[in-house]
Structures are given as structure tokens and as C-alpha cells.
Amino acid sequence: MHECLERVTFTLVAGTSETDLAAALDTSQQWLMQQPGFNYSSVSREGYTFAHSVYWASRADAEAAAEAFPKSPANAPYLSLIEGGSVKMAHEAIVHSFLAERLAAA
């Protein structure tokens, strides 16, 4: 079984600042950290398109969290900042990874 990268790209609702996004992400991140199989998440951007990348222990964990995510009140502030029609989600099997912690342990 492979680890899974969930990648969600989106644009923000007009008038939303990165500060607004960061505050909403703090609450959402707490929810993510409680989900089975959660490993790591980051948010990046290119121009006006943001990418939320979440690493999971398995595709099943990623899909379960994706299903539960919009139903949790903890994620409502984050979701309210996202332009609904802009969302694209993909789940990808991780075939190779190398983390700094693995370097330090060697």
C-alpha cells in the first residue's frame, strides 16, 4: 500500500487576504491532525491559484478525510474563503519520498 498525496487547488473568494486564509487554516489544520493516517500538510500558491497538499498514510485515509472534511464545522471558516467552482482535487500514490528527518537519522 502506498502513501497518498491529496492535492487540492483553488482560488480565494474576492477580497480574501492570505492573512484571512492563514487564520482559517489554523483551525482546519487542527481537524486534519486528528484524522487517521494524517502525516503532513502545506499550502502553496502560484499567482492566484493555491494548492493544499496533504500527505496521508493511505488512499483510503485520504478519501475518508475528503468525505468528512466539508461536514465538519471546524472547516467551515476555511471553506467559506474558497471560490466553489475553482476547486480541483486529486489523489496520487507516492512512489518515492525523502524527508529531512530521514537524513538526520542516518
Side-chain angles (χ1 to χ4, degrees), residues 8-24:
V8 181
T9 59
F10 60 91
T11 57
L12 297 175
V13 171
T16 303
S17 70
E18 283 189 36
T19 302
D20 297 333
L21 177 61

Side-chain angles (χ1 to χ4, degrees), residues 36-99:
F38 172 81
N39 288 333
Y40 173 80
S41 107
S42 66
V43 175
S44 56
R45 80 171 168 85
E46 176 65 33
Y48 295 107
T49 300
F50 288 80
H52 194 167
S53 301
V54 186
Y55 290 80
W56 297 97
S58 70
R59 184 180 185 104
D61 291 332
E63 289 175 345
E67 169 115 6
F69 191 89
K71 298 174 186 172
S72 172
N75 298 316
Y78 176 37
L79 293 173
S80 73
L81 302 179
I82 295 173
E83 190 65 52
S86 71
V87 176
K88 293 183 177 102
M89 179 184 291
H91 291 109
E92 304 167 358
I94 303 212
V95 296
H96 181 75
S97 67
F98 195 81
L99 300 174

